[in-house]
Amino acid sequence: MQDENNSDGSVWADSAYRSVEREAALPGAHCRSHIHRKSARKRPLNEREQEANRKQSRVRARVEHVFVQQANRLVRSIGQVRPGVKMSMMNLVYNMRRLVWLAR
């Protein structure tokens, strides 16, 4: 199912998500696959496939680092307003730390 708010039709994923069925279904959903290639026991990846995986890893790492920073931060509260504010503050602090690190 395609999200109407998402203007980019790219799918970025780990090699565990690669399958013949998924690769066949993506063009029908107007999506472009950026899913890592898998090696097999008797067929290692060639140079072209390894380079493609490296390029995709650079993009995926930038996105995944944001989620790693917040992975173990549990917000427990009653209601929705207070946890929303706490998550917003955590995001703000993360962005400020990132800005300081990039400004070095």
Side-chain angles (χ1 to χ4, degrees), residues 1-8:
M1 185 167 116
Q2 182 97 12
D3 181 10
E4 294 90 25
N5 297 326
N6 186 1
S7 61
D8 186 16

Side-chain angles (χ1 to χ4, degrees), residues 74-89:
L74 179 65
V75 176
R76 298 183 75 172
S77 183
I78 297 173
Q80 294 180 349
V81 176
R82 191 172 291 155
V85 171
K86 286 182 178 182
M87 291 301 292
S88 296
M89 293 304 290

Side-chain angles (χ1 to χ4, degrees), residues 7-24:
S7 61
D8 186 16
S10 297
V11 174
W12 299 81
D14 190 59
S15 63
Y17 295 97
R18 182 174 281 279
S19 69
V20 175
E21 296 84 18
R22 186 165 283 128
E23 289 295 321

Side-chain angles (χ1 to χ4, degrees), residues 56-88:
Q56 292 168 0
S57 291
R58 286 186 206 125
V59 174
R60 287 183 59 229
R62 290 180 182 161
V63 175
E64 289 178 1
H65 284 175
V66 175
F67 293 106
V68 168
Q69 291 293 321
Q70 297 179 357
N72 295 325
R73 297 193 178 152
L74 179 65
V75 176
R76 298 183 75 172
S77 183
I78 297 173
Q80 294 180 349
V81 176
R82 191 172 291 155
V85 171
K86 286 182 178 182
M87 291 301 292
S88 296

Side-chain angles (χ1 to χ4, degrees), residues 33-45:
S33 174
H34 293 283
I35 302 174
H36 279 249
R37 301 263 179 208
K38 292 186 205 183
S39 63
R41 183 177 296 165
K42 295 185 179 183
R43 193 195 71 79
L45 295 177

